Coordinates of all heavy atoms in Angstrom, one line a residue:
M1 N -14.2 0.7 -47.7 CA -14.9 -0.3 -46.9 C -14.2 -0.5 -45.6 O -13.0 -0.8 -45.6 CB -15.0 -1.6 -47.8 CG -15.6 -2.7 -47.0 SD -15.5 -4.2 -48.1 CE -17.1 -4.8 -47.8
P2 N -14.9 -0.4 -44.5 CA -14.2 -0.6 -43.2 C -13.9 -2.1 -42.9 O -14.6 -3.0 -43.4 CB -15.3 -0.1 -42.2 CG -16.6 -0.1 -42.9 CD -16.3 0.0 -44.3
R3 N -12.9 -2.3 -42.2 CA -12.5 -3.7 -41.8 C -13.4 -4.3 -40.8 O -14.0 -3.6 -39.9 CB -11.1 -3.7 -41.2 CG -10.0 -3.3 -42.2 CD -8.7 -3.3 -41.5 NE -7.7 -3.6 -42.5 CZ -6.5 -4.0 -42.2 NH1 -6.1 -4.2 -41.0 NH2 -5.6 -4.1 -43.2
A4 N -13.6 -5.6 -40.9 CA -14.4 -6.3 -39.9 C -13.7 -6.4 -38.6 O -14.4 -6.4 -37.5 CB -14.8 -7.6 -40.5
L5 N -12.4 -6.6 -38.6 CA -11.6 -6.8 -37.4 C -10.6 -5.7 -37.4 O -10.1 -5.2 -38.4 CB -10.9 -8.1 -37.4 CG -11.9 -9.3 -37.3 CD1 -11.0 -10.6 -37.4 CD2 -12.6 -9.3 -36.0
P6 N -10.2 -5.2 -36.2 CA -9.2 -4.2 -36.1 C -7.8 -4.8 -36.6 O -7.6 -6.0 -36.5 CB -9.1 -3.9 -34.6 CG -9.8 -5.0 -33.9 CD -10.7 -5.6 -34.8
A7 N -6.9 -3.9 -37.0 CA -5.7 -4.3 -37.5 C -4.8 -4.9 -36.4 O -4.0 -5.9 -36.7 CB -5.0 -3.2 -38.2
R8 N -4.9 -4.4 -35.2 CA -4.0 -4.9 -34.2 C -4.9 -5.4 -33.0 O -5.8 -4.6 -32.5 CB -3.1 -3.8 -33.7 CG -2.2 -4.2 -32.7 CD -1.2 -3.1 -32.3 NE -0.3 -3.6 -31.3 CZ 0.8 -2.9 -31.0 NH1 1.0 -1.7 -31.5 NH2 1.6 -3.3 -30.0
R9 N -4.8 -6.6 -32.6 CA -5.6 -7.1 -31.5 C -4.8 -7.2 -30.2 O -3.5 -7.4 -30.3 CB -6.1 -8.6 -31.8 CG -7.0 -8.6 -33.0 CD -7.1 -9.9 -33.6 NE -8.3 -10.6 -33.5 CZ -8.5 -11.9 -33.7 NH1 -7.5 -12.6 -33.9 NH2 -9.7 -12.4 -33.7
V10 N -5.4 -7.1 -29.1 CA -4.8 -7.2 -27.8 C -4.6 -8.6 -27.4 O -5.5 -9.4 -27.4 CB -5.6 -6.4 -26.8 CG1 -4.9 -6.5 -25.4 CG2 -5.8 -5.0 -27.2
A11 N -3.3 -9.0 -27.1 CA -3.1 -10.4 -26.7 C -3.5 -10.5 -25.3 O -3.1 -9.7 -24.4 CB -1.6 -10.7 -26.9
R12 N -4.2 -11.6 -25.0 CA -4.6 -11.9 -23.6 C -4.0 -13.2 -23.2 O -4.6 -14.3 -23.4 CB -6.1 -11.9 -23.5 CG -6.7 -10.5 -23.8 CD -8.2 -10.5 -23.5 NE -8.8 -9.3 -24.0 CZ -8.9 -8.2 -23.3 NH1 -8.5 -8.2 -22.0 NH2 -9.5 -7.2 -23.8
H13 N -2.8 -13.2 -22.6 CA -2.2 -14.4 -22.2 C -2.7 -15.0 -20.9 O -2.6 -16.2 -20.7 CB -0.7 -14.2 -22.1 CG 0.0 -13.8 -23.4 ND1 0.1 -14.6 -24.4 CD2 0.4 -12.6 -23.8 CE1 0.7 -14.0 -25.4 NE2 0.9 -12.7 -25.1
H14 N -3.1 -14.1 -20.0 CA -3.6 -14.6 -18.7 C -4.8 -13.7 -18.3 O -4.9 -12.5 -18.7 CB -2.5 -14.5 -17.7 CG -1.9 -13.2 -17.5 ND1 -0.9 -12.8 -18.4 CD2 -2.1 -12.2 -16.7 CE1 -0.5 -11.6 -18.0 NE2 -1.3 -11.2 -17.0
L15 N -5.6 -14.2 -17.4 CA -6.7 -13.4 -16.8 C -6.2 -12.4 -15.8 O -5.3 -12.7 -15.0 CB -7.7 -14.3 -16.2 CG -8.4 -15.4 -17.1 CD1 -9.3 -16.3 -16.3 CD2 -9.2 -14.7 -18.2
V16 N -6.8 -11.2 -15.9 CA -6.4 -10.2 -15.0 C -7.6 -9.8 -14.1 O -8.7 -9.6 -14.6 CB -5.9 -8.9 -15.8 CG1 -5.5 -7.8 -14.9 CG2 -4.7 -9.3 -16.7
L17 N -7.3 -9.6 -12.8 CA -8.4 -9.1 -12.0 C -8.5 -7.6 -12.1 O -7.5 -6.9 -12.0 CB -8.1 -9.5 -10.5 CG -8.1 -10.9 -10.1 CD1 -7.7 -11.1 -8.7 CD2 -9.5 -11.5 -10.4
H18 N -9.6 -7.1 -12.4 CA -9.8 -5.7 -12.7 C -10.2 -5.0 -11.4 O -11.1 -5.5 -10.6 CB -10.9 -5.5 -13.7 CG -10.5 -6.0 -15.1 ND1 -9.6 -5.4 -15.9 CD2 -10.9 -7.1 -15.7 CE1 -9.4 -6.1 -17.0 NE2 -10.2 -7.1 -16.9
R19 N -9.5 -3.9 -11.1 CA -9.9 -3.1 -9.9 C -10.6 -1.9 -10.3 O -10.5 -1.4 -11.5 CB -8.6 -2.7 -9.2 CG -7.9 -3.9 -8.6 CD -6.7 -3.4 -7.8 NE -6.0 -4.5 -7.3 CZ -4.9 -4.4 -6.5 NH1 -4.4 -3.2 -6.3 NH2 -4.2 -5.4 -6.1
R20 N -11.3 -1.3 -9.4 CA -12.0 0.0 -9.7 C -10.9 1.1 -9.8 O -10.0 1.1 -9.0 CB -12.9 0.3 -8.6 CG -14.2 -0.4 -8.5 CD -15.0 0.1 -7.4 NE -16.2 -0.7 -7.2 CZ -17.0 -0.5 -6.2 NH1 -16.8 0.4 -5.3 NH2 -18.1 -1.3 -6.1
P21 N -11.1 2.0 -10.7 CA -10.1 3.1 -10.8 C -10.3 4.0 -9.5 O -11.4 4.2 -9.0 CB -10.5 3.8 -12.0 CG -11.9 3.4 -12.3 CD -12.1 2.0 -11.8
Y22 N -9.1 4.5 -9.1 CA -9.1 5.4 -7.9 C -9.6 6.7 -8.3 O -9.1 7.3 -9.3 CB -7.7 5.5 -7.4 CG -7.6 6.5 -6.3 CD1 -8.2 6.2 -5.0 CD2 -6.9 7.7 -6.4 CE1 -8.1 7.1 -4.0 CE2 -6.8 8.6 -5.4 CZ -7.4 8.3 -4.2 OH -7.3 9.2 -3.2
R23 N -10.6 7.2 -7.6 CA -11.2 8.6 -7.9 C -11.0 9.4 -6.6 O -11.7 9.2 -5.6 CB -12.6 8.5 -8.2 CG -12.9 7.7 -9.5 CD -14.3 7.6 -9.7 NE -14.6 6.7 -10.9 CZ -15.7 6.2 -11.2 NH1 -16.7 6.3 -10.4 NH2 -15.8 5.4 -12.3
P24 N -10.0 10.4 -6.6 CA -9.7 11.1 -5.4 C -10.9 12.0 -5.0 O -11.0 12.3 -3.8 CB -8.5 12.0 -5.8 CG -8.5 12.0 -7.3 CD -9.2 10.7 -7.8
G25 N -11.7 12.5 -5.9 CA -12.8 13.4 -5.5 C -14.1 12.7 -5.0 O -15.0 13.3 -4.6
R26 N -14.0 11.3 -5.0 CA -15.2 10.6 -4.6 C -15.3 10.5 -3.1 O -14.4 10.3 -2.4 CB -15.1 9.2 -5.2 CG -16.3 8.4 -5.1 CD -16.2 7.0 -5.8 NE -17.4 6.3 -5.6 CZ -17.5 5.0 -6.0 NH1 -16.5 4.4 -6.5 NH2 -18.6 4.4 -5.8
A27 N -16.6 10.7 -2.6 CA -16.8 10.7 -1.2 C -16.7 9.2 -0.7 O -17.0 8.3 -1.4 CB -18.1 11.2 -0.8
G28 N -16.3 9.1 0.6 CA -16.2 7.8 1.2 C -14.8 7.5 1.8 O -13.9 8.4 1.6
T29 N -14.7 6.4 2.4 CA -13.4 6.2 3.1 C -12.4 5.5 2.1 O -12.8 4.8 1.2 CB -13.5 5.2 4.3 OG1 -14.1 4.0 3.8 CG2 -14.4 5.8 5.3
Q30 N -11.2 5.9 2.2 CA -10.2 5.3 1.3 C -9.8 3.9 1.9 O -9.8 3.7 3.1 CB -8.9 6.2 1.3 CG -9.2 7.5 0.6 CD -7.9 8.3 0.5 OE1 -6.9 8.0 1.1 NE2 -8.1 9.5 -0.1
T31 N -9.3 3.0 1.0 CA -9.0 1.7 1.4 C -7.6 1.8 2.1 O -6.7 2.6 1.8 CB -8.9 0.8 0.2 OG1 -7.9 1.3 -0.7 CG2 -10.2 0.6 -0.4
L32 N -7.4 1.0 3.2 CA -6.2 0.9 3.9 C -5.3 -0.2 3.4 O -5.8 -1.3 3.4 CB -6.5 0.7 5.4 CG -5.3 0.7 6.3 CD1 -4.6 2.0 6.4 CD2 -5.7 0.3 7.7
R33 N -4.1 0.2 2.9 CA -3.2 -0.9 2.4 C -2.5 -1.5 3.6 O -2.2 -0.9 4.6 CB -2.2 -0.2 1.4 CG -2.9 0.3 0.2 CD -1.9 0.8 -0.8 NE -1.2 1.9 -0.2 CZ -0.3 2.7 -0.9 NH1 -0.1 2.4 -2.1 NH2 0.3 3.7 -0.3
T34 N -2.2 -2.8 3.4 CA -1.5 -3.6 4.4 C -0.1 -3.0 4.6 O 0.4 -3.0 5.8 CB -1.4 -5.0 4.0 OG1 -2.7 -5.5 3.6 CG2 -0.8 -5.9 5.1
S35 N 0.6 -2.5 3.6 CA 1.9 -2.0 3.8 C 1.9 -0.7 4.6 O 2.8 -0.5 5.4 CB 2.5 -1.7 2.4 OG 1.7 -0.8 1.7
D36 N 0.9 0.1 4.5 CA 0.7 1.3 5.4 C 0.5 0.9 6.8 O 1.1 1.5 7.7 CB -0.4 2.1 4.9 CG -0.2 2.8 3.6 OD1 1.0 2.9 3.2 OD2 -1.2 3.2 3.0
L37 N -0.2 -0.2 7.1 CA -0.5 -0.6 8.4 C 0.8 -1.2 9.0 O 1.1 -0.9 10.2 CB -1.6 -1.7 8.4 CG -2.0 -2.3 9.8 CD1 -2.5 -1.2 10.7 CD2 -2.9 -3.4 9.6
V38 N 1.6 -1.9 8.3 CA 2.8 -2.5 8.8 C 3.8 -1.4 9.1 O 4.5 -1.4 10.1 CB 3.4 -3.5 7.7 CG1 4.8 -3.9 8.1 CG2 2.5 -4.7 7.6
L39 N 3.9 -0.4 8.2 CA 4.9 0.7 8.4 C 4.5 1.5 9.7 O 5.3 1.9 10.4 CB 4.9 1.6 7.2 CG 5.7 1.0 6.0 CD1 5.6 2.0 4.8 CD2 7.2 0.9 6.4
A40 N 3.2 1.7 9.9 CA 2.7 2.4 11.0 C 3.0 1.7 12.3 O 3.5 2.2 13.3 CB 1.2 2.7 10.9
L41 N 2.8 0.4 12.3 CA 3.1 -0.4 13.5 C 4.6 -0.5 13.8 O 5.0 -0.4 14.9 CB 2.6 -1.9 13.3 CG 1.0 -2.0 13.4 CD1 0.6 -3.4 13.1 CD2 0.6 -1.6 14.8
L42 N 5.4 -0.6 12.7 CA 6.8 -0.6 12.9 C 7.3 0.8 13.5 O 8.2 0.8 14.4 CB 7.5 -0.8 11.5 CG 9.0 -0.9 11.5 CD1 9.5 -2.1 12.3 CD2 9.6 -1.0 10.1
G43 N 6.7 1.9 13.0 CA 7.1 3.2 13.6 C 6.8 3.3 15.1 O 7.5 3.8 15.9
V44 N 5.6 2.8 15.5 CA 5.2 2.8 16.9 C 6.1 2.0 17.7 O 6.5 2.4 18.8 CB 3.7 2.4 17.0 CG1 3.3 2.1 18.4 CG2 2.8 3.4 16.4
V45 N 6.5 0.8 17.2 CA 7.3 -0.1 18.0 C 8.7 0.5 18.1 O 9.3 0.5 19.2 CB 7.4 -1.5 17.3 CG1 8.5 -2.3 17.9 CG2 6.1 -2.2 17.4
L46 N 9.2 1.1 17.1 CA 10.6 1.8 17.2 C 10.5 2.9 18.1 O 11.5 3.1 18.9 CB 11.0 2.2 15.8 CG 11.5 1.1 14.9 CD1 11.8 1.6 13.5 CD2 12.8 0.4 15.5
L47 N 9.5 3.8 18.0 CA 9.4 4.9 19.0 C 9.3 4.4 20.4 O 9.9 5.0 21.3 CB 8.2 5.8 18.6 CG 8.5 6.7 17.4 CD1 7.2 7.4 17.1 CD2 9.6 7.7 17.7
G48 N 8.5 3.4 20.6 CA 8.4 2.8 22.0 C 9.7 2.3 22.5 O 10.1 2.4 23.7
G49 N 10.5 1.6 21.6 CA 11.8 1.1 22.0 C 12.8 2.2 22.3 O 13.5 2.1 23.3
F50 N 12.8 3.2 21.5 CA 13.7 4.4 21.8 C 13.3 5.0 23.1 O 14.1 5.4 23.9 CB 13.6 5.4 20.7 CG 14.4 5.0 19.5 CD1 13.9 5.2 18.2 CD2 15.7 4.4 19.6 CE1 14.6 4.8 17.1 CE2 16.4 4.0 18.5 CZ 15.9 4.2 17.2
A51 N 12.0 5.1 23.4 CA 11.6 5.7 24.7 C 12.0 4.9 25.9 O 12.5 5.4 26.9 CB 10.0 5.9 24.7
L52 N 11.9 3.5 25.7 CA 12.3 2.6 26.8 C 13.8 2.7 27.0 O 14.3 2.7 28.1 CB 11.9 1.2 26.5 CG 10.4 0.9 26.7 CD1 10.1 -0.5 26.3 CD2 10.0 1.1 28.2
L53 N 14.5 2.8 25.9 CA 16.0 2.9 26.0 C 16.4 4.2 26.7 O 17.3 4.2 27.5 CB 16.6 2.8 24.6 CG 18.1 2.7 24.5 CD1 18.7 1.5 25.1 CD2 18.5 2.8 23.0
A54 N 15.8 5.3 26.3 CA 16.1 6.5 26.9 C 15.8 6.5 28.4 O 16.5 7.0 29.3 CB 15.3 7.7 26.2
A55 N 14.6 6.0 28.8 CA 14.2 5.9 30.2 C 15.2 5.0 31.0 O 15.6 5.4 32.1 CB 12.8 5.4 30.3
H56 N 15.6 3.9 30.4 CA 16.6 3.0 31.0 C 17.9 3.7 31.2 O 18.5 3.6 32.3 CB 16.7 1.8 30.2 CG 17.6 0.7 30.8 ND1 17.3 0.1 32.0 CD2 18.9 0.3 30.4 CE1 18.3 -0.8 32.3 NE2 19.3 -0.6 31.3
S57 N 18.4 4.4 30.2 CA 19.7 5.1 30.3 C 19.6 6.2 31.3 O 20.6 6.5 32.0 CB 20.2 5.5 29.0 OG 19.3 6.5 28.5
L58 N 18.5 6.9 31.4 CA 18.4 8.0 32.4 C 18.3 7.5 33.8 O 18.9 8.1 34.7 CB 17.1 8.8 32.0 CG 17.2 9.7 30.8 CD1 15.9 10.4 30.5 CD2 18.3 10.8 31.0
T59 N 17.6 6.4 34.0 CA 17.6 5.8 35.4 C 18.9 5.3 35.8 O 19.3 5.4 37.0 CB 16.5 4.8 35.5 OG1 16.7 3.8 34.5 CG2 15.1 5.4 35.3
L60 N 19.6 4.7 34.9 CA 20.9 4.2 35.2 C 21.9 5.3 35.5 O 22.8 5.2 36.3 CB 21.5 3.2 34.1 CG 20.9 1.8 34.1 CD1 21.5 1.0 33.0 CD2 21.0 1.1 35.4
G61 N 21.8 6.4 34.7 CA 22.6 7.5 34.9 C 22.4 8.2 36.2 O 23.3 8.8 36.8
A62 N 21.1 8.2 36.7 CA 20.8 8.8 38.0 C 21.4 8.0 39.2 O 21.7 8.6 40.2 CB 19.3 9.0 38.1
W63 N 21.4 6.7 39.0 CA 21.8 5.9 40.1 C 23.3 5.5 40.1 O 23.9 5.1 41.0 CB 21.0 4.6 40.1 CG 19.6 4.8 40.4 CD1 18.6 4.8 39.5 CD2 19.0 5.1 41.7 NE1 17.4 5.1 40.2 CE2 17.6 5.2 41.5 CE3 19.5 5.2 43.0 CZ2 16.7 5.5 42.5 CZ3 18.6 5.5 44.0 CH2 17.3 5.7 43.8
G64 N 23.9 5.7 38.9 CA 25.3 5.2 38.7 C 26.3 6.2 38.9 O 26.5 7.3 39.0

């Protein structure tokens, strides 16, 4: 005779927001994560700062 309830139940202590599973083969745009955007902006700022530092040092080297 089968049991009416399973032997082991899943404990649900808190509510969980369910997300759609990621499907790499599915057509459409991928979602952009905030961390990716922050890292990209940080990279652009650092590269710009290095470029300004190099330009500044080159101009001072030419005049000094």
Side-chain angles (χ1 to χ4, degrees):
M1 175 182 224
R3 293 181 155 195
L5 294 175
R8 185 174 180 173
R9 292 158 120 197
V10 177
R12 298 188 188 267
H13 297 288
H14 55 277
L15 296 175
V16 179
L17 294 175
H18 295 284
R19 295 183 181 179
R20 287 185 185 169
Y22 174 69
R23 296 179 186 161
R26 189 174 180 188
T29 60
Q30 294 180 357
T31 58
L32 180 67
R33 293 184 297 187
T34 307
S35 59
D36 291 342
L37 181 63
V38 168
L39 284 175
L41 287 175
L42 183 63
V44 167
V45 167
L46 283 175
L47 283 175
F50 284 137
L52 286 175
L53 185 65
H56 182 67
S57 65
L58 287 174
T59 55
L60 285 182
W63 295 103

